[in-house]
Amino acid sequence: MNKKYSFDRQAALDAYSPLRRRLLGSALIASTTPLLLSACGSSGSDSSPPNSESPGLGSSGGDGSSAFTVQDRKIMRNGEEFFAKGVCYSPVPIGAWAGAAPGGDHFSDFWEPLFNRDMGTLAGMGCNSIRLYMTSPWETPWDPNSNRQYHTKFMDACAVHGIYVWVAYPMTPEQAMNTNDRKRIETGFQLLCEEMGKHESIIGFTIGNELDTFGIDKGVEFGNATQADFWNWINTLAGKVKGWAPDKLVSTSLHDIPRVIELMVDPAVGKGVPNLDVISLNSYRGTQSTGFDTMFTDYDAKFKNAGLPDRPFLVTEFGCPASTRQGSTPVELPDHAKAQADYIEAHWKDIEKHHGLNLCSGGYVFSWADEWWKIGNITTQEGHSSCGVPQFPGGCPDEEWYGINSIGVGKKNDGTPRDPADPVTKENVDGKDVYVHHPDILTPRAAVERLSTLWKA
């Protein structure tokens, strides 16, 4: 019922991908090419996910067991290599935003119509993994006194379709450095591990997204990444998560900034964060022709030079907006955003190439669907205030346009559009008033077919 709680829009953005915008002005020097970093009742739905053939290397959904481990630079599932063909999955409906309950967690049982909309399509295109940003044991993610919620239907749907999930409890970079917030975050992870840590669909748990704030002011480095306490807490929490869910993996998604990794492996700062099973980076470098440039070999060298043991490497975000400008108006790139598909293909082929060189264990395209909540009015799709990003096909870093699917307002059972301002509506079903969700309508862009071709080859 779209309840509100005390959590502002910027904090909501920070819990997702804060520096995809901020680094436009502060850290483009980081690589050889510019970087871009960024309680409800019954649903009234009895839909259940259809069976599908499990896609991807090392995946076999629905068999009742999934022990994920690492072996040198490989992720292993039940002793077989698992190569992630994934998407970042944050299907925030039109009219919702991450500053209102459920705070981006649209995976509890109430939201079954939403995720059932997508599971068959994801599996059909060869996707074998998704990455979540906000999963909470509480209906209001930042309020442990709010009602408990559960994600059984979501996990079961993923398992049936052979889709394996990285789970994350939400936090901002500031909360990661606050003692009181840390206690709540640890409790949140513990409850998620108790609920989800033995389910076959779960790969593991991601401790935050882009928490490693970093900058330079008058030659002096600052931010979380420069603080030994930050890395020590990540390492300590990772160790606790491994204890709570011993058959699953732990990671944290960092910015693709070479200096951040240098600080992570520095014996006086990050000490390599040994409790992390997987090294995960969000990267927006490169072009349609260059892929990720020298990212894989550069980071491999940094870990080797630090004398650290081998660990799997994942690209946990990559992609580009499907938008450009017609005058000052944001519009979709021509031919169903073919140029977005070209950009994603070049980067995916680079991931495959370096998988063959034992330097990468897969990647996650950002993102599954457009997110209208990120810039201004949550009922309309808008563009960024400035462009000038030459490595992106449309030249603009539009936060609301990264989806490989566009979205439109969902329709009620009678075929009329639901209220775009509220994804949860009160309706009379079989003589009873219930709260229901009518999912937004997805329209696939060219990247969906392109990834299907690549992933099922």
Side-chain angles (χ1 to χ4, degrees), residues 217-240:
D217 183 24
K218 298 178 181 178
V220 178
E221 297 179 338
F222 66 91
N224 290 359
T226 67
Q227 303 298 310
D229 176 66
F230 166 72
W231 297 109
N232 181 62
W233 179 69
I234 294 292
N235 191 59
T236 300
L237 179 53
K240 291 180 179 180

Side-chain angles (χ1 to χ4, degrees), residues 2 113 124 136 143 158 196 206 232-233 264-265 270 327 375 427 439 441:
N2 214 16
S136 175
D143 183 5
C158 289
M196 309 175 85
T206 306
N232 181 62
W233 179 69
M264 176 187 177
V265 303
I375 295 177
E427 298 181 9
I441 299 169

Side-chain angles (χ1 to χ4, degrees), residues 8 38 136 205 280 395:
D8 64 30
S38 156
S136 175
F205 298 84
S280 301

Side-chain angles (χ1 to χ4, degrees), residues 56 58 62 66 116 123 139 163 196 201 256 276 279 326 342 425 427:
S66 283
N116 275 351
E139 285 184 351
I163 294 172
M196 309 175 85
S201 68
D256 172 16
L276 294 180
I279 304 303
Q326 194 170 74
D342 295 340
T425 58
E427 298 181 9

Side-chain angles (χ1 to χ4, degrees), residues 102 105 108 135-141 147-151 195:
D105 183 353
S108 64
T135 322
S136 175
W138 306 297
E139 285 184 351
T140 301
N147 293 332
R148 284 294 306 272
Q149 63 178 4
Y150 298 91
H151 306 83
E195 179 197 358

Side-chain angles (χ1 to χ4, degrees), residues 218-343:
K218 298 178 181 178
V220 178
E221 297 179 338
F222 66 91
N224 290 359
T226 67
Q227 303 298 310
D229 176 66
F230 166 72
W231 297 109
N232 181 62
W233 179 69
I234 294 292
N235 191 59
T236 300
L237 179 53
K240 291 180 179 180
V241 171
K242 288 162 70 72
W244 296 325
D247 290 333
K248 307 301 180 182
L249 304 180
V250 188
S251 189
T252 184
S253 289
L254 304 170
H255 287 109
D256 172 16
I257 301 177
R259 181 57 181 153
V260 167
I261 302 303
E262 290 171 2
L263 290 163
M264 176 187 177
V265 303
D266 189 326
V269 186
K271 302 179 181 179
V273 198
N275 284 332
L276 294 180
D277 296 305
V278 179
I279 304 303
S280 301
L281 292 185
N282 297 346
S283 181
Y284 292 87
R285 70 163 81 188
T287 67
Q288 289 165 261
S289 59
T290 64
F292 292 99
D293 297 320
T294 59
M295 179 181 74
F296 297 102
T297 52
D298 287 349
Y299 287 126
D300 181 53
K302 291 184 187 300
F303 279 88
K304 282 184 177 177
N305 292 340
L308 293 170
D310 288 335
R311 278 178 279 186
F313 181 97
L314 281 177
V315 183
T316 42
E317 283 186 16
F318 74 96
C320 69
S323 57
T324 186
R325 291 292 183 273
Q326 194 170 74
S328 61
T329 303
V331 295
E332 185 173 280
L333 287 160
D335 300 323
H336 307 290
K338 176 183 178 296
Q340 181 197 42
D342 295 340
Y343 179 97

Side-chain angles (χ1 to χ4, degrees), residues 97-212:
W97 65 295
D105 183 353
H106 293 94
F107 317 110
S108 64
D109 290 351
F110 172 80
W111 298 99
E112 183 181 18
L114 190 157
F115 53 75
N116 275 351
R117 174 197 67 187
D118 299 331
M119 287 296 154
T121 304
L122 285 162
M125 63 189 285
C127 175
N128 66 3
S129 184
I130 56 178
R131 179 192 168 206
L132 310 185
Y133 292 84
M134 291 196 174
T135 322
S136 175
W138 306 297
E139 285 184 351
T140 301
W142 278 264
D143 183 5
N145 295 315
S146 62
N147 293 332
R148 284 294 306 272
Q149 63 178 4
Y150 298 91
H151 306 83
T152 304
K153 292 181 179 180
F154 172 75
M155 293 187 291
D156 288 349
C158 289
V160 166
H161 288 91
I163 294 172
Y164 298 91
V165 186
W166 283 99
V167 175
Y169 176 76
M171 68 186 86
T172 68
E174 293 75 20
Q175 291 166 348
M177 300 300 289
N178 181 281
T179 300
N180 290 330
D181 285 319
R182 285 179 174 183
K183 292 177 182 178
R184 171 183 50 76
I185 291 165
E186 291 181 11
T187 300
F189 269 108
Q190 182 175 6
L191 293 174
L192 287 175
C193 287
E194 291 172 359
E195 179 197 358
M196 309 175 85
K198 293 183 180 180
H199 198 280
E200 62 183 295
S201 68
I202 305 302
I203 297 175
F205 298 84
T206 306
I207 300 175
N209 184 60
E210 300 176 351
L211 302 176
D212 51 303

Side-chain angles (χ1 to χ4, degrees), residues 6-89:
S6 179
F7 186 56
D8 64 30
R9 182 183 296 272
Q10 188 57 50
L13 283 164
D14 285 351
Y16 275 73
S17 47
L19 297 192
R20 202 186 338 272
R21 296 161 302 282
R22 203 176 299 160
L23 282 191
L24 285 172
S26 62
L28 294 180
I29 59 172
S31 75
T32 54
T33 56
L35 304 177
L36 289 177
L37 306 173
S38 156
C40 299
S42 168
S43 69
S45 169
D46 61 358
S47 57
S48 58
N51 290 319
S52 70
E53 190 171 316
S54 303
L57 178 63
S59 66
S60 54
D63 65 3
S65 78
S66 283
F68 281 90
T69 56
V70 298
Q71 182 177 306
D72 298 323
R73 297 181 180 181
K74 292 181 171 62
I75 293 174
M76 311 296 288
R77 177 183 176 270
N78 296 341
E80 297 182 5
E81 184 185 0
F82 182 86
F83 177 58
K85 303 174 181 179
V87 298
C88 300
Y89 190 61

